[in-house]
Amino acid sequence: PANKQAECEAPSKKEEKKVNKTAEADQKRKLEGLTKDSPMRLRMEAYNKRLQAEITAAIEKLDGEGKFKVDRWNRVEGGDGISMVLQDGKVFEKAGVGVSVVYGMLPPAAIAQMRARHPNIGDSKEAMPFFATGISCVMHPHNPNAPTVHFNYRYFELGSVDGGEPISWWFGGGCDLTPAILYEEDAVHFHRVIKDACDKHDPRYYKDFKKWCDEYFYIPHRGERRGIGGIFFDDLDDKSQDELFAFVQTCGNAFLDQYVPIMERRKDMPFTADDKHWQQLRRGRYVEFNLVYDRGTKFGLLTPGARIESILMTMPLTARWEYMQEPDLKAHGKLLEILRAPKDWIPL
Amino acid sequence: PANKQAECEAPSKKEEKKVNKTAEADQKRKLEGLTKDSPMRLRMEAYNKRLQAEITAAIEKLDGEGKFKVDRWNRVEGGDGISMVLQDGKVFEKAGVGVSVVYGMLPPAAIAQMRARHPNIGDSKEAMPFFATGISCVMHPHNPNAPTVHFNYRYFELGSVDGGEPISWWFGGGCDLTPAILYEEDAVHFHRVIKDACDKHDPRYYKDFKKWCDEYFYIPHRGERRGIGGIFFDDLDDKSQDELFAFVQTCGNAFLDQYVPIMERRKDMPFTADDKHWQQLRRGRYVEFNLVYDRGTKFGLLTPGARIESILMTMPLTARWEYMQEPDLKAHGKLLEILRAPKDWIPL
């Protein structure tokens, strides 16, 4: 893949920025080599980068022609990222997998919002050091029979000074599938694989996180969900770091099993102009969800100096909006029904 | 044009809604016939509907093939609207002109936001009756040489009980042009016509409202404006109702002179696949502005029971997003420069 170095900061602001002390301590630790006792920050970062390499290699193989373009970027205050995008491939219109690692200071207003869910965050009115690392992925295939997929797994911590223990930390993430043309067996498969992953760690996870996913991906102005669901969780700190890290890794490792078998079935299916047209309209809804409601996108758009290309990597290559479009209910009535009233794909 | 009646309210909510007393009084006035002493509400509504009919007739003529589809809707609490959309015409990919008339109750939180700019709004902690009527228009041509255009003119009032005088009222509106391929003569023409309109009413208007437009249509996450500007104004109550109504009418009446001569020059120009591709990418930016920043769209998306098809009538038929797209600076460098640093099209 092509390789390119980029800085995500405007050069004029460089002097003002202080390198985060935890970032410095972590740099040293990385040079010494990671162990299972290394801070979770470093272990999750390393996992995200391994998973990104594994998934992009498998997706290049699945596509058969397209190659991921690799952009690496560094933050002056600490942290870096790798954005990998395959565009105009044989199977994929656009597929992006990004990893980001961010050390910085969180303003009091943002801390206050987190305090409600994490009461151990003290009552400080000053900015606090934070760390975040995540992997996120969105893939939009050409073939309207093949579904768009998304996943994201992330680790966040607050208050680690000079590389020490954080005051608060949590994991978040999830995965969801967005078909334009519904194949119920695909939905069942996608949910089955992630349910098995969840069940290895906690019998309540799948049920709770499936429900959370159906709530999160709701588009109020359409009265519809974005897709047929999956799982979604945030602020997860109810077990030890090691236990939750193991859970997140099981989920991340399940991704290729969730998606590749579906793609193998769908990527070469014949389709009509009507199918393509319908897919383009559904891609319009995807854009609406991402620009209007998605937390990650909104946060990114509001962050000065954020790398906009990485944030909007999730957008489809093409989308369409028609006034008063009347869907072919014979073809798509069942999908629309499920987007309005989510279904339990797996009996609980 | 096709004609269709629709209600924008969910039937189950009908019983709860009370008909606005001012709406009732105004219905009676309409039956008696309007005069120049009728409330501004009714005069502006009548103007908007006349302007909509005039513009859609002229645009159908310009298109030569496409016809506007007409949707009429009614609000149980008072008010109505007409959405007119021409889709997949010969010249226009999508052109929408909507008029809305809304009588309702405004919640205290919304009133509080308005009080800063309209101090005569009292300190009431209760919902107040409001009225709003506006005309809005967005036209997206097929030919990438032909620019997208938008205008909107509106009148708002607060606190009219039983059809009496409002506590506060104001006008707002503006127009702006969004070319994918820059022709400076088009930009100069568009600005020249609206400057002449402004100059008939106040020598400061064009200068002030041109600047306001450049500020309003800024897309912070792109560091660009949506297009090459025009005018934008809001909360205008610094002259009498009659004087400001005259100004708004001069602006509205100027629209066809602003846009049709440009379209005559551009609509049949030859273009390349590269031109079309660039237009699609610029349409993506248009979607970003509308969904993320446009006040009217955001207000509409957050309003329960709003007519979503009318709100999203402004979206282009098609749009495109590419990762790390590198624009052809030889072809489009000048446009991008102007989107970053707006130009004075007319020496002041």
Side-chain angles (χ1 to χ4, degrees):
Chain A
N3 209 313
K4 207 165 114 178
Q5 289 278 345
E7 287 262 316
C8 75
E9 307 297 334
S12 64
K13 288 190 177 171
K14 273 185 189 171
E15 296 102 348
E16 301 158 31
K17 290 190 175 154
K18 283 184 196 153
V19 177
N20 182 293
K21 288 277 167 61
T22 298
E24 276 183 339
D26 283 354
Q27 273 307 329
K28 232 173 115 184
R29 285 175 173 128
K30 277 198 239 182
L31 292 173
E32 288 160 5
L34 298 190
T35 71
K36 66 177 181 39
D37 298 319
S38 295
M40 185 52 68
R41 290 185 295 279
L42 296 172
R43 294 163 66 199
M44 182 70 174
E45 174 190 334
Y47 171 70
N48 286 340
K49 289 178 178 172
R50 275 201 312 277
L51 184 62
Q52 182 186 38
E54 183 193 322
I55 287 174
T56 50
I59 294 297
E60 279 191 358
K61 211 175 134 193
L62 177 70
D63 191 273
E65 279 180 13
K67 297 287 168 202
F68 280 90
K69 186 173 172 294
V70 184
D71 284 310
R72 292 167 198 277
W73 44 271
N74 288 289
R75 281 170 52 86
V76 176
E77 316 94 306
D80 55 42
I82 309 173
S83 297
M84 297 182 69
V85 179
L86 182 161
Q87 208 161 260
D88 264 327
K90 188 177 167 200
V91 171
F92 290 97
E93 170 173 301
K94 198 165 165 194
V97 189
V99 166
S100 63
V101 181
V102 176
Y103 294 83
M105 296 298 289
L106 204 69
I111 299 170
Q113 288 195 336
M114 292 171 175
R115 197 173 291 122
R117 283 159 294 140
H118 303 278
N120 54 338
I121 300 172
D123 215 14
S124 161
K125 287 194 175 55
E126 305 209 338
M128 285 171 81
F130 80 96
F131 168 86
T133 182
I135 178 167
S136 71
C137 164
V138 175
M139 302 194 180
H140 297 286
H142 288 295
N143 194 312
N145 295 293
T148 286
V149 75
H150 158 257
F151 78 83
N152 162 251
Y153 297 104
R154 56 193 183 270
Y155 170 74
F156 190 94
E157 63 175 50
L158 202 60
S160 165
V161 179
D162 296 343
E165 290 292 308
I167 293 169
S168 197
W169 56 265
W170 57 91
F171 287 91
C175 57
D176 72 298
L177 195 73
T178 306
I181 295 171
L182 178 68
Y183 293 95
E184 300 205 39
E185 64 191 281
D186 294 353
V188 169
H189 171 81
F190 188 81
H191 277 263
R192 166 64 63 198
V193 175
I194 201 68
K195 180 177 185 297
D196 288 349
C198 290
D199 288 352
K200 283 183 188 133
H201 298 270
D202 194 310
R204 296 160 313 165
Y205 277 176
Y206 174 74
K207 183 168 180 271
D208 291 354
F209 299 164
K210 192 264 184 200
K211 185 164 172 267
W212 201 342
C213 185
D214 288 335
E215 285 161 9
Y216 180 78
F217 290 104
Y218 185 61
I219 308 177
H221 67 262
R222 296 290 189 181
E224 289 175 357
R225 272 131 213 102
R226 181 170 86 172
I228 59 86
I231 62 167
F232 182 92
F233 57 93
D234 204 355
D235 302 300
L236 205 64
D237 62 358
D238 62 335
K239 299 184 202 272
S240 73
Q241 278 193 337
D242 279 318
E243 284 171 292
L244 292 173
F245 182 44
F247 164 60
V248 162
Q249 288 178 87
T250 307
C251 290
N253 296 343
F255 171 72
L256 289 172
D257 294 338
Q258 279 184 285
Y259 190 55
V260 174
I262 295 173
M263 287 305 295
E264 294 288 5
R265 287 202 284 271
R266 307 297 166 211
K267 70 185 173 65
D268 300 317
M269 277 178 73
F271 60 86
T272 65
D274 279 352
D275 294 337
K276 191 71 192 168
H277 175 246
W278 175 245
Q279 178 203 52
Q280 292 298 297
L281 292 165
R282 299 312 304 173
R283 294 256 155 99
R285 305 292 168 101
Y286 208 87
V287 169
E288 288 176 30
F289 179 84
N290 285 16
L291 290 180
V292 182
Y293 302 105
D294 184 61
R295 284 185 214 167
T297 307
K298 279 172 84 169
F299 180 79
L301 295 180
L302 293 172
T303 304
R307 189 170 185 275
I308 190 68
E309 290 295 330
S310 299
I311 296 160
L312 295 181
M313 201 168 79
T314 60
M315 301 293 262
L317 196 62
T318 53
R320 184 176 181 93
W321 285 266
E322 286 179 19
Y323 177 73
M324 297 289 274
Q325 200 272 338
E326 285 176 25
D328 174 351
L329 291 179
K330 216 176 138 190
H332 306 298
K334 182 79 185 164
L335 174 64
L336 293 173
E337 187 186 313
I338 289 165
L339 298 180
R340 273 179 231 119
K343 184 170 164 170
D344 281 330
W345 297 103
I346 298 173
L348 293 175
Chain B
N3 209 312
K4 206 164 116 179
Q5 289 278 342
E7 286 263 316
C8 75
E9 309 296 336
S12 63
K13 288 190 177 171
K14 273 185 190 173
E15 296 101 349
E16 301 157 31
K17 291 193 173 151
K18 284 184 196 153
V19 177
N20 181 294
K21 288 278 167 61
T22 297
E24 276 184 339
D26 283 354
Q27 274 307 329
K28 228 173 117 185
R29 285 177 173 127
K30 278 198 240 181
L31 292 173
E32 288 160 5
L34 297 191
T35 71
K36 66 179 179 36
D37 298 319
S38 295
M40 185 53 68
R41 290 185 298 278
L42 296 172
R43 293 163 67 199
M44 181 71 173
E45 173 191 334
Y47 172 70
N48 286 341
K49 289 178 178 173
R50 275 200 313 275
L51 184 63
Q52 183 187 38
E54 184 193 320
I55 288 174
T56 51
I59 294 297
E60 279 191 358
K61 213 175 133 194
L62 177 70
D63 192 89
E65 279 181 12
K67 297 287 168 205
F68 280 91
K69 186 171 172 295
V70 185
D71 284 311
R72 295 168 196 277
W73 43 271
N74 288 289
R75 281 171 53 86
V76 176
E77 316 95 304
D80 54 44
I82 309 173
S83 296
M84 297 182 71
V85 179
L86 182 161
Q87 208 160 260
D88 265 328
K90 188 177 168 199
V91 170
F92 291 97
E93 170 173 301
K94 197 165 166 193
V97 189
V99 166
S100 63
V101 181
V102 176
Y103 294 83
M105 295 299 287
L106 205 68
I111 298 170
Q113 288 195 336
M114 291 170 176
R115 196 174 292 121
R117 284 160 291 140
H118 302 279
N120 54 339
I121 300 173
D123 215 14
S124 160
K125 285 192 176 58
E126 305 209 340
M128 284 171 80
F130 80 96
F131 169 87
T133 182
I135 178 167
S136 72
C137 163
V138 175
M139 302 194 181
H140 297 286
H142 288 296
N143 193 312
N145 295 293
T148 287
V149 74
H150 158 257
F151 78 82
N152 163 250
Y153 297 104
R154 56 194 182 270
Y155 170 75
F156 191 93
E157 64 175 48
L158 202 60
S160 164
V161 179
D162 296 342
E165 288 292 307
I167 293 169
S168 197
W169 57 265
W170 58 89
F171 288 90
C175 58
D176 71 299
L177 195 73
T178 306
I181 295 171
L182 178 68
Y183 292 95
E184 299 205 40
E185 64 191 280
D186 294 353
V188 169
H189 171 82
F190 189 81
H191 277 263
R192 166 65 62 198
V193 175
I194 201 69
K195 180 177 185 297
D196 288 348
C198 289
D199 288 352
K200 283 185 188 132
H201 298 271
D202 193 311
R204 295 161 313 165
Y205 276 176
Y206 174 73
K207 183 169 180 272
D208 292 354
F209 299 163
K210 192 265 184 200
K211 186 164 172 267
W212 201 343
C213 186
D214 288 336
E215 286 160 8
Y216 180 79
F217 289 104
Y218 186 60
I219 307 177
H221 68 261
R222 296 289 189 181
E224 288 176 357
R225 271 131 213 102
R226 181 170 86 172
I228 58 89
I231 62 167
F232 182 91
F233 58 92
D234 204 355
D235 301 301
L236 205 63
D237 61 358
D238 62 337
K239 299 184 203 274
S240 73
Q241 278 193 338
D242 279 318
E243 284 171 291
L244 293 173
F245 182 43
F247 164 61
V248 162
Q249 288 178 87
T250 307
C251 290
N253 296 343
F255 171 72
L256 289 172
D257 294 338
Q258 280 185 285
Y259 190 54
V260 174
I262 296 174
M263 287 304 296
E264 294 288 5
R265 287 202 283 273
R266 306 299 165 210
K267 70 186 174 63
D268 300 318
M269 277 178 72
F271 60 86
T272 66
D274 280 353
D275 294 337
K276 191 70 192 170
H277 175 246
W278 175 246
Q279 178 204 51
Q280 292 298 296
L281 292 165
R282 300 310 305 175
R283 295 255 157 100
R285 304 293 168 100
Y286 207 88
V287 168
E288 288 176 28
F289 179 83
N290 285 16
L291 290 180
V292 181
Y293 302 105
D294 184 61
R295 284 185 213 166
T297 307
K298 281 172 83 170
F299 180 80
L301 294 180
L302 294 172
T303 305
R307 190 171 185 273
I308 190 66
E309 290 294 330
S310 299
I311 295 161
L312 295 181
M313 201 169 78
T314 62
M315 302 294 262
L317 196 62
T318 55
R320 184 176 181 93
W321 285 265
E322 286 179 18
Y323 177 73
M324 296 290 272
Q325 198 273 338
E326 287 176 22
D328 175 351
L329 290 179
K330 216 176 136 191
H332 306 299
K334 182 78 187 165
L335 173 64
L336 292 173
E337 188 187 312
I338 289 166
L339 298 180
R340 274 180 231 119
K343 185 171 163 169
D344 281 329
W345 296 103
I346 297 172
L348 292 175

